Amino acid sequence: MILTVTLNTALDITYRVRSLRPRASHRVSQVTERPGGKGVNVARVLAALGHEVTLTGFAGGPTGELLREALAGTPGPVDALVPIAGATRRTVAVVDETAGDTTQLNEPGPQITPGEWGAFLDRYDDLLSGASAVALCGSLPPGVPVGAYAKLVRAARSAGIPVLLDTSGEPLRRGVAARPDIIKPNADELAELTGSHEPLRATQDARRRGAHAVVASFGADGLLAVTADGRWRAVPPAPELGNPTGAGDSAVAGLLSGLVEHLPWPDRLTRAVALSAATVTAPAAGEFDPAAYEKLLARVSVTAV
């Protein structure tokens, strides 16, 4: 079983409009709602790839109830979320069909009490006993200690379980020092962590800070990986137009599935890039277009650097 952790879950709402204009009224052509948050998206993609996956984190309030009801109707992921008093947040993505881009609105997360954080730690320790790998994903809601991911990384590594960390800012800086097996920052997160905007130098510096492998994502320019086994760049055949929400989460699912399947790094990166690009063309966050994915697998370019 692969375990994904989403401490700041969300209900993802996607609106599609013909053209998004400031200070104007818009007619929405399509609305979709999905359980969201980075680790929830990762879990959904892993399940679609055929892996057993359990997701944990927090959920509460009316939005949390909607999220859990939707999860119950989603084949694959097992719900091990911890109930809280506060209300789960919502995220809104507005897709401009003419321009082919997306505007994202993210609500803040609920306040987590010390008792709720303690209940989560107990749940996490219980779930680790059956896990083959762990993904720690996304932002921290208010009330969760800034060093939370470092603590969770150390717990997984003490249990001999490989762990991937996908977060940003101070939680990432502290989490890297706990020596996760993989981190997956985007370009901005990588620059914030290292102070460098040169991709290869920044990726190498991030690895020196403690991560065993660093896979940095650069949007349409693909992934750059620096590992103990080598360095590679993986790029899609062409940029895809659509909703990029969840594309990075699909890349995480590709990396994590490749890890538990013991694939060589070039194959892991090929899968991650193909899944990410196929997610951009899907109608809602946290999903991917299977037909596009199969076509992209043969067209992703991976080169040693």
Side-chain angles (χ1 to χ4, degrees), residues 139-225:
S139 60
L140 300 179
V144 172
V146 71
Y149 282 136
K151 182 180 182 70
L152 301 182
V153 168
R154 287 192 292 266
R157 291 189 55 79
S158 295
I161 301 167
V163 56
L164 183 153
L165 177 62
D166 183 15
T167 189
S168 61
E170 187 65 12
L172 174 60
R173 189 184 71 79
R174 297 197 186 193
V176 168
R179 301 186 63 78
D181 293 85
I182 306 172
I183 63 170
K184 197 212 71 63
N186 62 29
D188 291 339
E189 293 160 354
L190 185 65
E192 183 181 11
L193 175 66
T194 66
S196 174
H197 290 273
E198 199 287 311
L200 183 57
R201 180 182 301 123
T203 308
Q204 290 174 316
D205 183 32
R207 185 167 182 265
R208 284 192 291 268
R209 291 169 185 258
H212 290 262
V214 179
V215 182
S217 59
F218 296 92
D221 292 327
L223 301 175
L224 175 62

